[in-house]
Amino acid sequence: MARSALLNVMVQAAMKAGRSLSRDFGEVQNLQVSMKGPGDYVSQADRKAEEIVFTELSKARPGYAFLMEERGAVEGEDAQHRWIVDPLDGTTNFLHGIPIFSVSIALERQGQVVAGVVYNPAMDELYTAERGGGAFMNDRRLRVAGRSKLTDAVIGCGVPHLGRGQHGNFLIELRNVMAEVSGVRRLGSAALDLAYVAAGRMDGFWETGLSSWDIAAGMLLVREAGGFVSDMSGGQEMLDNGEVVAGNELIQRALLKTVKKPLAAR
């Protein structure tokens, strides 16, 4: 596949950060001495990966703004462009030695995501997309799965954990989805969940309570692979409200209807 200069910059930044995370990931299991030890170590790994991405992207496009998980918002001279970055999506997996985590980088132009990269260094899987140019995994073109019925579908989700609210609402949603589908999966990295939908590995995905850096790149992957993405109301405010429902046209519509069933009970 032919990549634009901008996408090449994003790929290089993601892979360089990924190599740093891979080195740190190899040490995680040697750090299971106390919760403070590995927790601090993961934070250091996260910040180090973010610094790499920030440095690489700033060098290539010095005027662009940033929205990053650790640094937050960084203003730039170019008000039309913004990088949206999650240097380590799947921190809990990383901490426990589970090789499902990713670096996620999206480029927003005039409020619209136009390029995205999601890289899982543990499996060396690089997902890329540019608006209008299709989605790819390691240069192989991606297409969402073609299943048309929820009864045949495997659906991904996020599960609210300790310290997060909406447990009761999620259990209602999960109950409704489980009754309709072939299987439910929880990977622990929303960026990779969306990449898996784009790759046809999962038929759909839904989650709430996300941040824009969790989903910006993944949403573009799904769309460029022929899929559909909306928030829980069927709108397009995903980056603002942290809600996402994704799949091919039929599955996304059916999944949205299913997860909306408990709205009256919220």
Side-chain angles (χ1 to χ4, degrees):
M1 59 164 286
R3 296 184 186 134
S4 71
L6 269 173
L7 189 60
N8 275 326
V9 166
M10 296 166 70
V11 166
Q12 291 167 12
M15 295 190 75
K16 188 171 182 179
R19 288 192 292 271
S20 175
L21 289 174
S22 290
R23 288 190 294 269
D24 290 335
F25 183 66
E27 299 297 324
V28 165
Q29 299 216 15
N30 299 325
L31 296 171
Q32 303 299 323
V33 180
S34 68
M35 283 307 297
K36 185 175 187 301
D40 285 350
Y41 189 78
V42 171
S43 296
Q44 292 168 17
D46 196 324
R47 287 193 293 269
K48 185 162 52 173
E50 186 171 276
E51 181 62 31
I52 289 170
V53 173
F54 181 78
T55 299
E56 291 294 311
L57 296 181
S58 296
K59 189 189 310 178
R61 296 293 187 275
Y64 287 14
F66 284 84
L67 179 62
M68 312 183 83
E69 183 176 16
E70 300 299 329
R71 291 173 183 252
V74 179
E75 293 186 4
E77 295 178 2
D78 185 341
Q80 305 299 313
H81 293 88
R82 181 172 70 160
W83 303 110
I84 303 176
V85 179
D86 190 343
L88 175 53
D89 187 46
T91 302
T92 301
N93 285 347
F94 187 94
L95 172 62
H96 287 267
I98 299 169
I100 302 175
F101 56 90
S102 61
V103 181
S104 176
I105 304 173
L107 175 61
E108 187 180 60
R109 178 178 294 135
Q110 296 179 330
Q112 186 171 58
V113 176
V114 296
V117 172
V118 175
Y119 180 51
N120 179 350
M123 298 181 182
D124 195 27
E125 290 187 343
L126 175 70
Y127 299 86
T128 59
E130 289 186 272
R131 186 166 179 256
F136 298 83
M137 191 271 283
N138 293 351
D139 295 336
R140 178 176 62 83
R141 185 177 285 275
L142 299 180
R143 191 73 186 170
V144 292
R147 296 178 186 87
S148 59
K149 298 178 181 178
L150 281 180
T151 51
D152 299 325
V154 170
I155 302 296
C157 69
V159 179
H161 50 74
L162 179 68
R164 297 283 292 272
Q166 307 301 315
H167 291 189
N169 288 342
F170 171 75
L171 290 174
I172 296 170
E173 294 169 1
L174 181 61
R175 182 192 65 197
N176 287 338
V177 172
M178 285 192 304
E180 301 286 342
V181 304
S182 178
V184 178
R185 301 290 184 268
R186 198 282 202 245
L187 296 183
S189 167
L192 283 176
D193 281 305
L194 289 166
Y196 277 26
V197 172
R201 293 175 174 176
M202 294 194 301
D203 300 282
F205 171 71
W206 96 96
E207 188 171 0
T208 63
L210 293 163
S211 297
S212 55
W213 48 76
D214 297 320
I215 56 177
M219 292 188 323
L220 184 65
L221 284 168
V222 172
R223 286 175 171 155
E224 289 299 319
F228 289 73
V229 184
S230 78
D231 58 26
M232 295 282 279
S233 300
Q236 296 297 307
E237 304 301 319
M238 295 81 68
L239 296 184
D240 294 322
N241 60 31
E243 302 172 354
V244 64
V245 183
N248 69 29
E249 183 177 9
L250 296 174
I251 293 296
Q252 196 272 347
R253 188 186 308 155
L255 180 59
L256 180 61
K257 182 178 179 181
T258 300
V259 296
K260 283 178 66 175
K261 285 181 182 179
L263 282 176
R266 292 185 180 206

